[in-house]
Amino acid sequence: MATLNNLTIFITGASRGIGRSIALRCARDGANIVIAAKTAEPHPKLVGTVHTVAREVEQAGRARAAAAIGHP
C-alpha cells in the first residue's frame, strides 16, 4: 500500500461527512492536511466545523491548516 507520509493534501468540504473522514484517514496515514469548508460556526443540528476537524487532524499527530470559505 502506498504511504501518504509527509505529502500535503488539500481537502474541501472537510467540516463533516466524507470530507472529514478523508481528512482524518489521510492524517492517520501520515499526510499533512489543508482543509477548507464553509462551516466556521457550530450549527445547532449538525456536528462539526472546519476548526473542530483541524483539531482532530492535529490530534492525529499531523500538521494542519484550516480555512473557512463561503459566500459573503
Side-chain angles (χ1 to χ4, degrees), residues 9-64:
I9 298 176
F10 182 84
I11 302 167
T12 60
S15 62
R16 61 179 68 94
I18 191 70
R20 176 183 172 270
S21 296
I22 291 169
L24 295 177
R25 176 59 190 259
C26 290
R28 285 192 301 268
D29 287 350
N32 297 310
I33 306 297
V34 178
I35 58 174
K38 294 186 293 184
T39 307
E41 300 298 323
H43 186 281
K45 295 183 180 181
L46 302 172
V47 178
T49 69
V50 69
H51 307 294
T52 59
V53 176
R55 282 192 294 274
E56 289 180 275
V57 167
E58 192 170 29
Q59 289 171 352
R62 300 312 305 165
R64 59 31 173 200

